[in-house]
Amino acid sequence: MTLLELKDVTAFYGPVQVLEGVSLTVPDGGAVGILGANGAGKTTTLRAISGTVRAGGSILFEGKDIRGSKPEKVAAMGIAHVPEGRGTLGGLTVRENLRVGAYLRRDRKGIESDIEYCLDLFPQLRDRIRSNGSALSGGEQQMLAVARAIMAKPRLLLLDEASLGLAPSTAKSVYEAIGRLRRESGIAMLVVEQNANLAFTLVDSATVLETGHNAITGSTAELRGMDEIRRAYLGG
Ligand SMILES: Nc1ncnc2c1ncn2[C@@H]1O[C@H](COP(=O)(O)OP(=O)(O)O)[C@@H](O)[C@H]1O
Ligand SMILES: [Mg+2]
């Protein structure tokens, strides 16, 4: 079943149009990648879904058009956005950040057991549970940003460049944890990533954006086999 479907989505910053018709489909429980150079419109595509940029076209979530919905409403429907730059709260501790992620929930026991799950998924956070967000390393902040999103119990996770600025080994362990989350929870994922090698460890298919529109879409295996993808995104 299809969970999310974008059809000819456009987006604007003021009068400037930056998406010119982006289409993609995320199956229920599936993971789909968005690749592309800097400025191609990857972040804006996620913002169009989460309601933080003015958008046209249609954005169907569970068959309902959510385009133009307010960000709080989109979040309440089960879409959690891990933004570029992470957006963890520096003045709050790790545990407080996790509780903030669950602010729409009322099931106290479920919240506590999901905090445990997050700390199991990212053991480094357990060691830092009382630390302020601002005291964490870049990798720990990224783990916290993902964990906080999980705390909302979403059906769909929007991930924006989770590997950005991280050492390769840290980026790999973040993606391994997200892969485990995917297998264990069935949460669907739309994954923006410039590092296609990492993205391909997680996603089943991907679309490449070029200046605000889809250039190439295919399964991970198809994309890996294409010379232009290998040259541009896989280092040879
Ligand atoms: N807040 C903004 N105001 C105006 N233009 C923006 C803003 N954010 C991004 N853009 C422009 O929109 C285009 C797409 O940006 P973005 O979605 O951030 O690309 P990507 O995430 O693929 O690097 C770029 O040309 C960028 O300069
Ligand atoms: Mg971006």
Side-chain angles (χ1 to χ4, degrees):
M1 203 191 86
T2 296
L3 183 63
L4 177 77
E5 186 173 14
L6 272 58
K7 287 190 213 158
D8 269 320
V9 169
T10 55
F12 307 81
Y13 292 107
V16 182
Q17 180 167 3
V18 301
L19 296 187
E20 316 215 344
V22 170
S23 299
L24 59 85
T25 301
V26 181
D28 211 353
V32 173
I34 302 180
L35 309 176
N38 259 327
K42 303 181 300 296
T43 292
T44 304
T45 301
L46 298 190
R47 287 189 184 140
I49 298 164
S50 63
T52 49
V53 68
R54 184 165 64 90
S58 75
I59 301 177
L60 303 174
F61 183 65
E62 299 178 313
K64 222 176 101 191
D65 199 341
I66 62 166
R67 182 184 62 83
S69 298
K70 297 229 179 313
E72 311 81 77
K73 194 171 164 208
V74 174
M77 281 187 303
I79 299 178
H81 190 168
V82 182
E84 205 173 38
R86 297 150 200 164
T88 51
L89 303 168
L92 299 184
T93 66
V94 166
R95 189 183 290 282
E96 287 164 345
N97 266 279
L98 295 177
R99 293 233 170 86
V100 167
Y103 77 105
L104 289 172
R105 295 171 58 184
R106 292 291 169 266
D107 55 323
R108 251 192 28 209
K109 283 209 178 111
I111 292 171
E112 290 310 314
S113 75
D114 284 351
I115 287 178
E116 270 309 301
Y117 180 74
C118 286
L119 298 178
D120 195 37
L121 201 55
F122 298 111
Q124 271 174 271
L125 293 182
R126 190 185 294 282
D127 301 333
R128 306 288 261 142
I129 190 80
R130 287 189 190 84
S131 301
N132 269 359
S134 56
L136 303 181
S137 69
E140 290 164 348
Q141 284 187 25
Q142 187 64 61
M143 293 169 194
L144 180 56
V146 174
R148 193 176 67 167
I150 297 170
M151 290 305 300
K153 256 197 181 313
R155 301 213 43 208
L156 173 67
L157 199 57
L158 308 178
L159 270 181
D160 200 346
E161 302 223 28
S163 73
L164 196 69
L166 305 185
S169 60
T170 309
K172 189 165 167 264
S173 71
V174 168
Y175 269 81
E176 279 168 3
I178 297 168
R180 183 184 147 198
L181 170 71
R182 186 187 168 196
R183 287 190 301 277
E184 292 179 351
S185 71
I187 297 173
M189 302 180 176
L190 183 56
V191 181
V192 165
E193 189 48 73
Q194 288 213 26
N195 183 335
N197 276 312
L198 265 184
F200 286 172
T201 64
L202 179 63
V203 303
D204 310 315
S205 68
T207 189
V208 179
L209 296 189
E210 254 172 43
T211 57
H213 64 268
N214 306 83
I216 307 171
T217 300
S219 70
T220 302
E222 284 165 350
L223 294 172
R224 275 185 199 279
M226 291 180 188
D227 283 343
E228 63 267 44
I229 299 284
R230 278 213 290 272
R231 273 197 304 273
Y233 301 104
L234 297 173

